[in-house]
Amino acid sequence: MSGVIVTGPPKADAEDVEALAGFGVATVHEAMGRTGLLPAHLRPIQQGTRVAGTAVTVLSWPGDNLMIHAAVEQCGEGDLLVVATTSPSTDGMFGELFATALQQRGVRGLVIDAGIRDTQELRDLGFPAWSAAVCAQGTVKATGGSVNVPVAIGGQVIRPGDVILADDDGVVVAPRRKARQAAEAAQAREAKEAATRAAFLQGQLGLDRYGLRDKLDRLGVTYTSYEDYVRDSCEDHARDGAGS
């Protein structure tokens, strides 16, 4: 497998990245029209952490971390490393030494669609990571790949310079050219949710705030008392028994 290392790709504006960092993954995903969400198998090795950064992407051969070494050189302040493999892999391709090198360069975290190891050491370092697996299995450094090219994880394309936002709920990508729009939409959604939260604290029901009672009616969902429900159920059982 040959490859290419692309240097100096454009990145989302730092102020847009910081704006998105103020929102949760779920909020941004919903604000972008329920797009950008990476698959649910990418799980955090820590809890209570949210990070946002610009993607430096890696495409590696499974079980081979050569291109992660190559990618470290391309990483800088405010970046977040995103690693995909050419076919599924759970091998532990990333660990403490990589995190140490990346942390020194100002990298904010890792998303890897493969295995990770040294998880306690990563937590001790304060280097957040989201991975498809935790596995102590080692890797080789034998096959070429690419850095800073578009990669796909679970059908979601991540391009270098896109904004990656990750928290306890998962990982979402906001395209570089739409980062500001995504931040503005997330702000509007959060304001709307704040108003709804205040209404719920006052006792309003979602059925009424969202106009769902009419929907229940259109779907044929009816209300009945417990007594009527038990009586009707008994009558139904009796009819079924008589017909058997």
Side-chain angles (χ1 to χ4, degrees), residues 24-26 28-29 32 35-38 163-167 170-174:
V25 165
V28 173
H29 165 59
M32 294 194 303
T35 63
L37 189 65
L38 272 61
V163 182
I164 301 295
L165 177 66
D167 63 17
V171 184
V172 68
V173 55

Side-chain angles (χ1 to χ4, degrees), residues 84-220:
T85 54
T86 57
S87 60
S89 174
T90 59
D91 293 340
M93 296 175 62
F94 186 100
E96 175 196 1
L97 295 180
F98 271 138
T100 300
L102 289 172
Q103 204 168 49
Q104 289 299 110
R105 302 179 75 87
V107 175
R108 296 178 176 176
L110 167 79
V111 173
I112 181 169
D113 193 17
I116 195 171
R117 61 185 188 178
D118 302 336
T119 55
Q120 184 60 58
E121 287 82 357
L122 295 184
R123 287 189 288 271
D124 291 342
L125 281 172
F127 188 85
W130 286 254
S131 69
V134 173
C135 183
Q137 175 64 49
T139 57
V140 299
K141 301 165 181 61
T143 314
S146 294
V147 176
N148 279 333
V149 300
V151 298
I153 298 179
Q156 182 66 55
V157 177
I158 302 100
R159 294 175 174 82
D162 285 349
V163 182
I164 301 295
L165 177 66
D167 63 17
D168 290 347
D169 289 340
V171 184
V172 68
V173 55
R176 174 177 63 87
R177 290 189 175 90
K178 297 181 179 180
R180 181 163 302 179
Q181 178 183 346
E184 292 171 351
Q187 178 62 59
R189 180 175 179 84
E190 190 162 88
K192 181 179 178 181
E193 289 183 347
T196 299
R197 187 177 301 109
F200 286 171
L201 286 171
Q202 293 297 317
Q204 186 178 20
L205 296 174
L207 284 173
D208 298 314
R209 186 165 185 84
Y210 301 136
L212 298 177
R213 294 190 188 278
D214 288 343
K215 178 170 287 188
L216 289 176
D217 186 58
R218 290 195 303 271
L219 293 172

